[in-house]
């Protein structure tokens, strides 16, 4: 079967750095996505990795290791508005997205 | 319209009733998707359409049907609603199956 694993919840302090991990087992791999979802709202696209390595976009970075079936999302200089759920999704061999259950990130002052 | 719209925003429905959730996008995206999101579970794909005139089944298609008569609209129909279909439903679109997906605001459906 196909499986995406993420921690259910994480807590971090405003101004700090947090790393959200995602491990996956899928039938084929055609890229990994990270989305942000604020409570009661729609998911919004954050990042995309298809090759190994780090992709940086402002305060957010995403890393991929295909051989390990592993990715992480790194958030720097945390702000209160970063309190949200972060969803990891892998595109499988049929180009369908398989979604993790999401990691709820709580930012404390 | 800018992006994707869904209607209604929320709905309470009696079991056994028929219901159509509407989704419209104005980005001329070829691919469209319907997901349901339940607490503790990831988004689950119900149906998808790679281009107007074609549809496909996702992970959880039973009890749902879709049509794609044109590029912009992708309605989802529950023929006879059951309480297990209580969920938040998101419509999404992408330029093609190889791009990131853009999501509508969602429809919160409660079946009693």
């Amino acid at each position: 079967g196909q499986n995406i694993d993420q921690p259910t919840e994480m807590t971090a302090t405003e101004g700090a750095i947090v790393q959200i991990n995602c491990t996956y087992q899928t039938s084929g791999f055609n890229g990994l996505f990270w989305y942000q979802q604020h409570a009661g709202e729609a998911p919004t696209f954050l990042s995309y990795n298809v090759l190994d390595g780090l992709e940086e976009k402002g305060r957010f970075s995403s890393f991929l290791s295909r051989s390990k079936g592993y990715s992480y999302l790194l958030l720097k200089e945390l702000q209160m508005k970063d309190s949200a759920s972060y969803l990891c999704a892998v595109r499988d061999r049929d180009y369908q997205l398989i979604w993790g259950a999401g990691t709820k990130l709580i930012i404390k002052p | 319209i800018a992006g994707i719209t869904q209607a209604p925003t929320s709905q309470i429905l009696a079991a056994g009733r028929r219901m159509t959730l509407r989704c419209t996008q104005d980005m001329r995206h070829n691919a469209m998707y319907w997901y349901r999101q339940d607490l503790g579970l990831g988004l689950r794909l119900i149906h998808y359409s790679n281009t107007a005139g074609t549809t496909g089944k996702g992970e959880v298609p039973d009890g749902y049907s879709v049509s794609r008569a044109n590029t912009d609209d992708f309605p989802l129909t529950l023929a006879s609603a059951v309480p297990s279909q209580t969920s938040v439903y998101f419509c999404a679109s992408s330029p093609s199956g190889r791009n990131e997906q853009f999501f509508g605001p969602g429809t919160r459906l409660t079946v009693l």
Side-chain angles (χ1 to χ4, degrees), chain A residues 2-88:
Chain A
Q2 308 202 90
N3 195 48
I4 310 286
D5 285 319
Q6 310 178 230
T8 302
E9 187 174 296
M10 299 181 70
T11 302
T13 304
E14 188 177 16
I17 299 173
V18 70
Q19 177 175 311
I20 302 174
N21 296 325
C22 170
T23 57
Y24 63 89
Q25 291 177 305
T26 57
S27 55
F29 178 85
N30 282 298
L32 185 144
F33 295 81
W34 284 97
Y35 280 76
Q36 180 189 60
Q37 186 177 25
H38 285 101
E41 298 183 9
T44 56
F45 170 74
L46 283 179
S47 69
Y48 171 67
N49 295 72
V50 66
L51 300 176
D52 291 350
L54 189 68
E55 294 282 342
E56 297 186 81
K57 191 185 293 185
R59 294 189 298 115
F60 292 7
S61 303
S62 56
F63 171 82
L64 174 67
S65 169
R66 289 172 295 171
S67 63
K68 295 182 179 178
Y70 168 71
S71 172
Y72 68 72
L73 181 69
L74 191 72
L75 291 74
K76 304 175 185 176
E77 301 170 15
L78 285 169
Q79 302 175 10
M80 297 304 292
K81 67 178 182 180
D82 297 329
S83 292
S85 289
Y86 291 86
L87 314 180
C88 174

Side-chain angles (χ1 to χ4, degrees), chain B residues 26-96:
Chain B
D26 66 353
M27 297 177 285
R28 308 302 294 171
H29 285 174
N30 284 317
M32 296 187 75
Y33 312 85
W34 274 106
Y35 291 95
R36 59 178 291 173
Q37 188 175 40
D38 302 291
L39 198 63
L41 300 176
L43 288 160
R44 290 183 292 169
L45 183 65
I46 303 171
H47 285 285
Y48 66 93
S49 169
N50 288 328
T51 190
T54 69
T55 62
K57 294 182 179 180
E59 179 186 358
V60 289
D62 294 344
Y64 307 94
S65 63
V66 292
S67 61
R68 187 87 184 279
N70 57 60
T71 297
D72 299 345
D73 301 300
F74 191 43
L76 176 74
T77 297
L78 289 67
S80 179
V82 295
S84 62
Q85 292 178 311
T86 294
S87 188
V88 179
Y89 290 86
F90 286 104
C91 179
S93 72
S94 65
S96 76

Side-chain angles (χ1 to χ4, degrees), chain A residues 42, chain B residues 1-6 23-29 72 91 93 102-105:
Chain B
I1 299 177
I4 305 179
T5 58
Q6 292 184 235
C23 175
T24 300
Q25 54 102 0
D26 66 353
M27 297 177 285
R28 308 302 294 171
H29 285 174
D72 299 345
C91 179
S93 72
F102 298 84
F103 284 79

